[in-house]
Amino acid sequence: MVLFLGIIARPRPTPSSLTYITRSTRRFSPMKNTSVAVSRHGFSAFQHIRVSLRSDSRNYSTVRASTATQAASLMSIEQPEILFLGTGTSEGIPRVSCLTNPINTCPVCSKAAEPGNKNRRLNTSLLIRFPRPSGICNILIDAGKFFYHSALKWFPTFGIRTIDAVIITHSHADAIGGLDDLRDWTNNVQPNIPIYVAKRDFEVMKKTHYYLVDTSVIIPGAAVSELQFNIIHEDPFVVHDLKFTPLPVWHGTGYRSLGFRFGNICYISDVSEIPDETYTLLEDCELLILDALRPDRSSSTHFGLPRALEEVRKIQPKRTLFTGMMHLMDHEKVNERLLGLKESEGIDVQLSHDGLRVPISL
């Protein structure tokens, strides 16, 4: 059974081309007298309403205010920044199979096993942080299956407490596998977390994370992530006053994934082909964050380094950071090679690494 929420047409102070889907503990008969707001040519004026509230809800407004104050006191930032929570493939680096191989030693995985080594990479994920009068806003792009480990490493390190929203690029496990782990935040830090996701990927979530979409199936007394699902399309949308422009790309034949542009930063984590119409959205890009799986060639679903460099020459951003690297990409060796391109071609390109913080302008 499909779960829908009530939609009312009221003017919103902040424009957004979103369809809001908020969970309810009550079931509805699908399709009959039910509408979903879809805006394909501009911003939608629909606003969502919650159908029911948990009977054991606390005064979360007070809790959220206090936690936001605590987070701000832990670490204040003077300008927006991005934090690379993960820069690796779905399986992560190092590979267990490499570390247990008695015959062939994998140089990159061996280095990655050392504490603090930049070849250690978890699922590709980015955190956008910017100051507001109410405190620091933290917007996460993707929560993959290693999200807990990334958060465990970097949230305490940089004094990050709240997650104000999560934006999903696609519905593979390395992008949505950590949604269940968000329960730690919604149980202990904040009342809920908005999730922004394309309809095709939400349909996948209704199968893989059915209990997060429809909480009526949960055993009474059990606690799961409190998520508010917001359907996005390939039009610009706004999250906490920050405009995001989807960058549609192909992630293998027939599989659509989304990159996102915010300000003059363009983020494309999973791509095998960029459609012609997307190139216009990449013009005047200050910082390009782009998929680069391996050093020698592309795969059926990801750019390799040679193809990624071709795209950089075509897009011509001022600076590029590659992400999504597998265990054949040695951080120090590849970056040393890429430095030569700055001298020979004037191209500023480097590999990113987990924990990398980059100041940005929004």
Side-chain angles (χ1 to χ4, degrees):
M1 181 169 287
V2 181
L3 183 68
F4 294 91
L5 50 68
I7 305 287
I8 57 174
R10 292 179 184 169
R12 290 177 60 103
T14 302
S16 174
S17 65
L18 301 174
T19 300
Y20 293 86
I21 299 181
T22 305
R23 298 174 324 187
S24 170
T25 55
R26 178 183 173 188
R27 289 180 177 270
F28 292 86
S29 299
M31 306 312 294
K32 184 178 181 181
N33 296 325
T34 306
S35 63
V36 177
V38 178
S39 173
R40 299 292 299 171
H41 305 287
F43 294 117
S44 167
F46 289 93
Q47 137 181 348
H48 77 281
I49 56 172
R50 294 204 62 145
V51 180
S52 65
L53 298 175
R54 289 174 53 181
S55 59
D56 60 342
S57 62
R58 301 158 52 196
N59 186 354
Y60 279 111
S61 60
T62 303
V63 174
R64 185 175 181 83
S66 64
T67 54
T69 302
Q70 292 170 10
S73 65
L74 285 171
M75 176 185 151
S76 59
I77 56 174
E78 295 182 356
Q79 73 175 89
E81 67 175 17
I82 54 174
L83 169 63
F84 288 82
L85 293 181
T87 58
T89 58
S90 180
E91 60 194 354
I93 313 296
R95 290 180 175 180
V96 175
S97 61
C98 288
L99 298 181
T100 58
N101 191 328
I103 301 174
N104 296 319
T105 300
C106 174
V108 174
C109 287
S110 297
K111 291 180 181 180
E114 302 170 356
N117 190 276
K118 292 180 180 178
N119 285 297
R120 186 176 186 87
R121 306 176 183 122
L122 299 181
N123 294 163
T124 301
S125 179
L126 192 75
L127 187 69
I128 306 163
R129 313 192 69 214
F130 55 94
R132 297 183 301 172
S134 58
I136 300 170
C137 184
N138 300 305
I139 299 177
L140 178 68
I141 299 182
D142 287 342
K145 56 187 182 178
F146 296 148
F147 168 72
Y148 165 79
H149 301 281
S150 295
L152 183 64
K153 172 68 175 177
W154 303 116
F155 277 47
T157 298
F158 297 120
I160 301 164
R161 182 162 173 83
T162 59
I163 300 174
D164 295 285
V166 180
I167 302 175
I168 301 298
T169 60
H170 66 301
S171 53
H172 287 166
D174 58 349
I176 66 171
L179 292 177
D180 186 76
D181 293 322
L182 298 178
R183 71 173 70 188
D184 187 17
W185 280 262
T186 61
N187 286 349
N188 303 302
V189 178
Q190 57 196 86
N192 53 64
I193 298 177
I195 309 295
Y196 294 81
V197 58
K199 187 177 187 301
R200 59 182 171 272
D201 298 313
F202 181 65
E203 293 300 317
V204 174
M205 289 179 181
K206 288 197 293 188
K207 299 176 182 178
T208 60
H209 295 79
Y210 64 93
Y211 59 98
L212 299 182
V213 175
D214 180 6
T215 56
S216 67
V217 303
I218 301 171
I219 298 173
V224 300
S225 306
E226 286 283 345
L227 308 179
Q228 293 180 337
F229 295 96
N230 305 277
I231 301 302
I232 61 174
H233 309 284
E234 294 183 358
D235 303 303
F237 60 98
V238 175
V239 180
H240 295 293
D241 298 324
L242 181 60
K243 178 183 176 181
F244 287 85
T245 300
L247 304 171
V249 296
W250 296 112
H251 181 27
T253 303
Y255 187 90
R256 197 79 151 176
S257 182
L258 293 178
F260 296 99
R261 179 169 185 155
F262 48 98
N264 288 326
I265 292 86
C266 298
Y267 179 80
I268 303 177
S269 61
D270 295 80
V271 57
S272 59
E273 194 71 36
I274 299 177
D276 290 340
E277 61 269 22
T278 298
Y279 284 108
T280 60
L281 303 174
L282 296 169
E283 294 176 356
D284 301 319
C285 176
E286 295 277 342
L287 172 61
L288 174 65
I289 302 166
L290 187 63
D291 189 16
L293 178 67
R294 53 187 297 154
D296 50 353
R297 60 178 176 81
S298 297
S299 72
S300 61
T301 53
H302 292 274
F303 284 163
L305 186 58
R307 175 64 185 277
L309 287 171
E310 289 178 13
E311 296 296 336
V312 170
R313 295 182 180 101
K314 183 174 182 178
I315 298 168
Q316 296 186 333
K318 288 188 176 180
R319 181 186 181 191
T320 300
L321 289 169
F322 293 129
T323 191
M325 292 79 67
M326 68 180 298
H327 74 148
L328 297 179
M329 296 278 271
D330 185 294
H331 184 84
E332 291 78 13
K333 292 182 179 180
V334 174
N335 269 350
E336 183 178 355
R337 170 190 162 193
L338 292 175
L339 279 175
L341 294 177
K342 192 167 187 178
E343 297 181 4
S344 62
E345 300 184 46
I347 300 176
D348 187 352
V349 288
Q350 287 280 277
L351 302 187
S352 60
H353 61 84
D354 291 23
L356 175 64
R357 294 171 60 199
V358 180
I360 60 173
S361 298
L362 294 176

